[in-house]
Amino acid sequence: MRDAIAAVVLVDTRRLADSFAPIDYFESRGMPFLVAVNQFDENVRYSLDDVRDALVISPKVRVSSCGARSRASATETLIAATEHALAQLPGSTTGQD
C-alpha cells in the first residue's frame, strides 16, 4: 500500500462476504478506494445501490460496475479510482464524484 493513491475493491456478488475485510482495511487506513462490482454475463445482476446497502458502504465511497475480463472496463475502473482519490485531496477543485 506504500505510495498508493487509491485502491479498488473488486466485488463478486456471489461471494459478497469476502469483500468486508478489504473494505474495512482501506476504511481503517483512510485510503481512498472505490468498489467495483464485477459483472458476469451468467450471474444475476444487482443494482449498485443494492450492493452498497449490502456492504454498508459510506455514500462517500464510489461504487461502479466493472467487467474484470475486459481490458477497457478495467482501465476505466482504474481511472475512476484515480479521479476519486484526487477529488479527496484537500483543496481539490474536481469536486465530489
Side-chain angles (χ1 to χ4, degrees):
M1 197 170 110
R2 180 183 280 172
D3 296 330
I5 62 166
V8 175
V9 177
L10 185 62
V11 173
D12 180 346
T13 56
R14 299 171 300 177
R15 299 173 47 192
L16 210 52
D18 292 344
S19 304
F20 287 104
I23 289 170
D24 289 344
Y25 178 85
F26 294 119
E27 282 180 336
S28 70
R29 283 157 180 79
M31 169 162 277
F33 69 96
L34 67 80
V35 172
V37 180
N38 196 12
Q39 302 293 342
F40 293 104
D41 293 333
E42 63 273 5
N43 287 341
V44 175
R45 292 189 182 219
Y46 297 94
S47 76
L48 298 179
D49 287 335
D50 287 344
V51 173
R52 176 186 297 282
D53 291 345
L55 293 173
V56 192
I57 299 172
S58 163
K60 292 189 241 177
V61 176
R62 185 171 176 173
V63 179
S64 61
S65 62
C66 175
R69 298 178 197 163
S70 163
R71 180 178 290 191
S73 182
T75 299
E76 289 172 16
T77 299
L78 293 173
I79 290 169
T82 303
E83 290 172 346
H84 178 66
L86 292 173
Q88 305 295 315
L89 293 173
S92 171
T93 59
T94 60
Q96 296 293 328
D97 287 334

